[in-house]
Amino acid sequence: MAVTATTPDTRPPAAPSRTGAAPVTAALALLVAALALVDITQGTAAVGAPEVWKAFTGRADPADASVVIASRLPRMTAGLLVGAALGIAGTALQAVSRNVLASPDTLAVNAGAYFALGIGAAFGLSLPWFASSAVAFAGGLAAAAVVLALSGLGAGTVRLVLAGSALTLGLTGVTEGLLLLFPRQTEGLYQWNQGSIGQSGFDGVLQMAPIAVVGLVGLLLIARRVDALALGDDAARGLGVPVRATRVTAVVLAALLSTAAVTLAGPVGYVGLCAPALVRPLARRFRGFTRSRGFLPAAALTGAALVLGSDVLLRALVPADVAVSVPTGVVTSLVGAVFLIVMATRVRDTAGATATERLRIRSRTRFLTVTAVLVASAVGVAIAAALLGDSKLLLGDVLNWAQGRAGRTVTFVLDTRMPRVLAALFAGAALALAGTFVQAVTRNPLAEPGILGVSGGAALGAVLLVTTVPLAGSWGMAGAAFAGAAASSVLVFGLAARGGYQQNRLVLVGFGVAIAASALISLLIILTDPFNATKALTWLSGSTYGRTLPDVVPLMAVLTVCAAVAFARRTELDLVSLDEDTPRLLGLGLARARLGFLALAVLLTATAVAAAGAIGFVGLVAPHAARALVGRQHARVIPVAVLLGAVLVCTADLVGRTVIAPAQLGAGLMTAAIGTPYFLYLLVRSRG
């Protein structure tokens, strides 16, 4: 029995596996053709299959023929081209980086194109199609170059996802800040960013087609060189392949395909990740798919099937008048999120995300000095935040207001301003404490609630309440945010726990959950009325606008309780952050301690998100900076991190509402602008 299990006769013979690729490719082509035929029969107009057939044969009513020719055929053709382009681009990026998670999304190509187009729109540049394509191409290529440079080729899946997600968050945050600052110039850009294949005529399709052909032909011409890279750099050089030139050429061609698709339909998410992943199992059975010249066409067809299938599924499950408002990119992003989570349970990371932090022992004098400076900074920032704004006040005005002796105008200003100041201070402190818990439990200094999907779940719960119950109170918002954060954390930490909270599984599952939450948030914003959409967008930017004291009370209560528990359990937190064996040897229930600290982190994140919106990177920057300043003992890290978080968010909120007054930028956008460079700096430091 063992012999029959290992005998070569049980393996597919070379000839069938080589020729079997052609029938599979033909089957994929038939699937795409069937989806295309179904797609052109769907829409808001009462034009079904009989009317479409009459339009093709020239016997249709002019109105029906116009619907088919001017709307549905261009939509279907755009789906084909966009899916094929992204499938090919993802295949090329994965081949040259030797990383199965490389794609236009994880390499921030789409975010770079969105950022470049957002800058152009904000400054009032009205560009023709080719010029806007060039702008998007430059932005996407620059973003991919940064991510690849930071992550290193073949250096591990986690590093690439961390670099790509951090840069995506930063660029998207800045772009959405431009949307809030220049609403008239950037009108429609947010919905465009969700990715829709709807078209008005064939103009865009005809302009994109030559670019897609150039990208495909270029990649086919260098296919042999790309295949040689799979053998390793040294082996490829031994075969006479110019490694660097091949990589650069492939990345440029992939960026060209991606940005052409982005310009035509917006960022249709994660097709470039899913299409190669679906074709890869076929390469194990059919030898024809092991080479790029067979793999690329199959990935193109698979990408087209994903885009058209998502469009068909959406219009089949959702009423036509609603489906027309839902971008195809939202559906493909949800599919991509599921793919990423499934892949996270299977992919092994060959290199850690970060180097192990060295044990730092700082003096008590240093700790006291740092704490005193931070307390003074927090008080100073809070006072400045109370005095500065659209109306500037004096310190005496604040003192009179506190004693109930201020005038009507000063009272009105401070009654609306002080809750904002308190919300920023306590939200920053809560997120910093949550980040401290997460980094200790996972032993990953680059982990934080936002990157691990907890903040995304909290934001989804709160946005769901904002869009369905606009008059919900502060406790309702806190409850909705906690429910979303709890659901996402159960999924993320539940899947990651099977591998002992390994960095790769934790980060990848968290990233997948964050993608899904972001897609669902976009769906809610698009489907709700404009007033609720603006309210949700403003809240998502991390704005403290309109906060009242009742909004801050839940956060103050949760922060007080969690800080007290953290200080009381500081020794347990030290032990949990060490390793797997030491806590058990000392009699600590490791699983129970982890669960308790993670529950506190979820509670802190949820209430902070409910009070101040989505604010990223604070849970990363504050604990990391605290350990650098005062060492790794949590008795010292906790107060310093809490103070750092409070100062950071309050400063970000102050700058956001004063620098460009009367216009305002949310604190979340400011912390993204600060946190992204710091996060990328940490990645650079950890490369060694």
Side-chain angles (χ1 to χ4, degrees):
M1 187 176 298
V3 174
T4 57
T6 57
T7 179
D9 294 337
T10 61
R11 300 177 185 175
S17 72
R18 188 183 300 274
T19 58
V24 173
T25 304
L28 286 173
L30 287 175
L31 174 62
V32 171
L35 290 171
L37 290 175
V38 175
D39 193 61
I40 60 177
T41 65
Q42 296 176 313
T44 54
V47 179
E51 289 78 14
V52 171
W53 176 253
K54 291 178 181 178
F56 284 148
T57 57
R59 296 183 291 109
D61 180 87
D64 293 344
S66 176
V67 169
V68 174
I69 302 300
S71 177
R72 294 192 184 175
L73 277 177
R75 184 188 74 196
M76 180 269 290
T77 310
L80 287 172
L81 288 174
V82 168
L86 293 175
I88 295 169
T91 300
L93 291 172
Q94 291 180 15
V96 298
S97 66
R98 297 197 290 272
N99 193 321
V100 295
L101 292 182
S103 75
D105 309 274
T106 53
L107 264 65
V109 173
N110 290 341
Y114 183 37
F115 173 70
L117 291 174
I119 289 180
F123 286 97
L125 299 178
S126 180
L127 301 174
W129 190 87
F130 277 108
S132 62
S133 297
V135 171
F137 172 72
L141 183 62
V146 170
V147 173
L148 287 173
L150 288 172
S151 62
L153 296 171
T157 55
V158 170
R159 180 180 292 278
L160 182 135
V161 169
L162 284 172
S165 60
L167 191 59
T168 296
L169 284 172
L171 292 177
T172 302
V174 174
T175 308
E176 291 180 356
L178 294 174
L179 265 62
L180 292 174
L181 289 175
F182 305 96
R184 186 169 56 84
Q185 295 91 328
T186 59
E187 185 177 359
L189 195 59
Y190 179 83
Q191 187 158 353
W192 169 90
N193 185 52
Q194 309 313 312
S196 175
I197 60 174
Q199 303 289 314
S200 297
F202 280 97
D203 290 345
V205 173
L206 292 175
Q207 290 170 330
M208 175 195 166
I211 297 178
V213 170
V214 168
L216 175 59
V217 171
L219 288 172
L220 288 175
L221 289 175
I222 64 170
R224 291 181 181 273
R225 295 181 178 181
V226 172
D227 291 337
L229 294 181
L231 303 174
D233 290 358
D234 294 335
R237 291 190 184 96
L239 295 173
V241 174
V243 174
R244 183 181 296 274
T246 301
R247 281 206 175 103
V248 170
T249 303
V251 170
V252 169
L253 290 172
L256 183 66
L257 286 165
S258 303
T259 50
V262 165
T263 307
L264 177 65
V268 179
Y270 297 94
V271 175
L273 173 70
C274 298
L278 287 172
V279 177
R280 198 170 294 112
L282 297 175
R284 302 189 189 104
R285 300 189 60 184
F286 304 104
R287 191 170 298 179
F289 292 128
T290 58
R291 298 184 181 277
S292 294
R293 290 185 177 179
F295 200 105
L296 286 172
L301 290 170
T302 305
L306 282 171
V307 174
L308 288 178
S310 298
D311 197 49
V312 168
L313 182 65
L314 173 66
R315 295 172 186 275
L317 298 179
V318 180
D321 56 338
V322 177
V324 73
S325 303
V326 179
T328 310
V330 171
V331 182
T332 60
S333 292
L334 289 173
V335 174
V338 174
F339 257 86
L340 191 59
I341 292 172
V342 172
M343 292 172 68
T345 62
R346 300 180 179 180
V347 172
R348 286 188 174 274
D349 194 17
T350 56
T354 61
T356 303
E357 287 188 306
R358 289 174 296 177
L359 179 62
R360 299 184 179 92
I361 300 176
R362 305 295 192 189
S363 66
R364 179 179 176 83
T365 302
R366 182 187 179 95
F367 165 65
L368 294 175
T369 302
V370 169
T371 304
V373 170
L374 287 175
V375 168
S377 300
V379 172
V381 169
I383 293 174
L387 299 181
L388 301 176
D390 48 0
S391 299
K392 293 181 174 59
L393 302 177
L394 300 175
L395 188 58
D397 296 326
V398 178
L399 296 176
N400 289 333
W401 172 80
Q403 298 170 8
R405 295 187 289 121
R408 181 179 301 177
T409 301
V410 172
T411 300
F412 173 78
V413 171
L414 288 177
D415 282 347
T416 56
R417 187 178 294 174
M418 288 307 296
R420 296 190 62 172
V421 176
L422 294 175
L425 284 170
F426 289 118
L431 290 171
L433 185 55
T436 303
F437 288 147
V438 171
Q439 290 180 11
V441 168
T442 62
R443 304 188 197 101
N444 186 345
L446 295 184
E448 64 111 8
I451 291 174
L452 298 185
V454 179
S455 296
L460 176 60
V463 169
L464 181 61
L465 193 69
V466 167
T467 54
T468 55
V469 189
L471 299 180
S474 55
W475 287 99
M477 285 283 289
F482 177 74
S488 62
S489 61
V490 166
L491 179 60
V492 173
F493 295 115
L495 290 173
R498 293 192 307 164
Y501 297 99
Q502 293 177 357
Q503 290 181 359
N504 55 350
R505 180 170 295 174
L506 185 66
V507 171
L508 297 181
V509 173
F511 186 51
V513 171
I515 292 168
S518 177
L520 291 173
I521 288 171
S522 299
L523 183 63
L524 290 171
I525 290 174
I526 290 168
L527 293 181
T528 191
D529 65 75
F531 174 78
N532 288 340
T534 302
K535 183 178 178 182
L537 278 174
T538 302
W539 181 85
L540 283 171
S541 69
S543 174
T544 56
Y545 177 79
R547 296 298 183 267
T548 61
L549 283 178
D551 295 328
V552 186
V553 170
L555 177 59
M556 294 172 62
V558 168
L559 178 62
T560 302
V561 172
C562 291
V565 173
F567 189 76
R569 301 290 184 179
R570 58 191 183 278
T571 304
E572 291 183 16
L573 202 57
D574 287 334
L575 293 174
V576 167
S577 66
L578 285 177
D579 52 39
E580 294 287 327
D581 299 326
T582 304
R584 293 192 178 99
L585 291 174
L586 296 176
L588 176 65
L590 189 58
R592 187 175 58 203
R594 276 175 169 163
L595 182 62
F597 288 128
L598 289 176
L600 293 178
V602 170
L603 186 60
L604 287 163
T605 302
T607 49
V609 168
I615 300 177
F617 291 106
V618 178
L620 166 78
V621 173
H624 196 279
R627 288 193 299 273
L629 288 171
V630 297
R632 296 185 61 185
Q633 288 181 304
H634 284 90
R636 299 179 178 183
V637 170
I638 289 170
V640 172
V642 165
L643 288 169
L644 278 170
V647 171
L648 177 60
V649 176
C650 192
T651 303
D653 183 65
L654 173 61
V655 172
R657 63 184 172 84
T658 56
V659 170
I660 55 173
Q664 297 187 20
L665 284 174
L669 303 181
M670 302 301 297
T671 57
I674 298 170
T676 300
Y678 186 79
F679 186 89
L680 299 178
Y681 161 73
L682 294 181
L683 277 176
V684 172
R685 277 190 57 191
S686 68
R687 288 191 64 172

